[in-house]
Amino acid sequence: MLAFARAFVGAGGVQIPGRPDAGDEARALGERLIRALRAGAMRHPDDRDLQREVDRARREARWALAGADDKVVGFFIVLPPGVEDESATAEALSHASQGLGPGVFAKGDIVVLQPELDGTRFQPVLEDEIEC
């Protein structure tokens, strides 16, 4: 997880939602992310931006680890309760189909979630779980 975060931060991937020009703040957030992960601190209820980046690092690390298994063909989006009813983006993602079924993304896909989808998880889908 720390390796992903370092690469992500190093590539300038940290962003402040709704503020694409917040370069200094994004760099500071990236530094806080690295410090938090080094310390093993996974919960940040008072810092929504930091929590989003910690969750992203965790999600990407799990995605990469599970994706290394040849039996895993994709990941099913699991939305937090009530989000699909409130968000057109969530509804579109949960019904999107790339040939693996609704809401299943191929393991090579890159899925960037909007802040409104905080708390979303992805569950690995095995090849024998896909319906033809």
Side-chain angles (χ1 to χ4, degrees):
M1 184 173 9
L2 183 56
F4 167 79
R6 282 186 179 136
F8 186 73
V9 169
V14 174
Q15 298 176 358
I16 307 294
R19 301 195 41 225
D21 59 340
D24 290 341
E25 288 179 62
R27 281 187 286 284
L29 176 56
E31 291 170 8
R32 291 196 328 266
L33 171 64
I34 299 301
R35 282 194 307 273
L37 293 178
R38 278 189 190 139
M42 298 296 147
R43 296 266 183 224
H44 304 277
D46 297 331
D47 189 337
R48 189 171 180 170
D49 291 333
L50 178 57
Q51 187 64 58
R52 183 178 303 107
E53 295 303 326
V54 167
D55 291 345
R56 181 190 318 209
R58 181 183 299 157
R59 190 171 48 244
E60 293 295 331
R62 287 180 180 166
W63 188 300
L65 185 61
D69 184 340
D70 289 339
K71 292 180 184 175
V72 173
V73 295
F75 295 87
F76 176 72
I77 192 168
V78 181
L79 299 165
V83 170
E84 190 173 350
D85 298 334
E86 300 170 11
S87 166
T89 304
E91 184 176 352
L93 288 172
S94 67
H95 291 91
S97 180
Q98 290 87 26
L100 299 172
V104 179
F105 296 86
K107 66 182 180 180
D109 287 349
I110 297 172
V111 181
V112 178
L113 299 174
Q114 300 300 315
E116 67 192 58
L117 300 178
D118 287 352
T120 296
R121 298 180 300 108
F122 288 90
Q123 171 124 8
V125 175
L126 304 176
E127 61 188 351
D128 62 350
E129 295 175 320
I130 298 296
E131 294 181 17
C132 297

